[in-house]
Amino acid sequence: YTYLSEEKFESAADYYNELLTKFPSSQYILDTTFQLGECYLDLSRYEEARDNFQRVIANYPQASQASHAQYEIGWCYFEQKRFMEAKEAFNNWVRSYPESKWIDDSLLGAGNSLFNLKDFEEAIKTYSKIEESFPSSRLVPTSLYQIAGSYFKLGKYTEARMGYEKFLNLYPDDPMAAYAQYATSWTYFH
C-alpha cells in the first residue's frame, strides 16, 4: 500500500503481480487482484484493469470488492470511449447494487455515456434520477449542468436556458458556473 499512497502505480503493479505469482494461494489474493486493477486503472491500462476486476467478480462474487470491481469496470469502458458498454455496465451495477454508496456516481457514468452516445433524452432521464433520488449528492450540480447541456444538444433552447439558470441559482460558486453563464447566452442565439 506504500506505493499506492505515494502514487507509484507502476511499482505497485509490479509488486502486486509478483505477489500473485509467488503466492497464488495467499489469503491476500482477493485484495491483491483488486488493487492491481486499481493500479492499472490509474495507469490508464484499462484492458488490464478490467481483466483484474473481472477476475475479482468471477472468483469472489460475494466479496465486498466484487461490487466495487463491477463499478470500476464501467469506468474502464468509459475511459476507453466504449460508451455503450459503459452504459450497460453502469446500469447493470445500479440494478445489482441499489443500496450502494456509488449509485449516484454510476448514474452519472450512465448519463455521461448516454450523452456521448448522443441519446440526450435518455441522458436527461438518467441525470434527473440523481437530483430526485440523491438531493444531497455532491453530483447534483454536475447532473443539473448536464441536463441543461442535453437540452441544448436537442435544440430545446428554452429548456436548456431554464436548466442553466436553475444551476446558476442553486450553485453560483460552482466551478462550472462560468460555463453555465456562457452557455445560457448561447441559448438566446437559437
Side-chain angles (χ1 to χ4, degrees), residues 13-51:
D14 291 343
Y15 180 80
Y16 287 135
N17 274 315
E18 184 178 343
L19 190 108
L20 289 171
T21 302
K22 286 185 177 180
F23 305 101
S25 301
S26 167
Q27 66 186 22
Y28 303 109
I29 294 300
L30 167 59
D31 274 341
T32 300
T33 305
F34 180 80
Q35 291 299 334
L36 183 57
E38 290 287 310
C39 288
Y40 287 140
L41 186 58
D42 287 324
L43 291 166
S44 302
R45 291 166 57 181
Y46 303 115
E47 294 291 333
E48 292 163 289
R50 200 171 65 252
D51 288 346

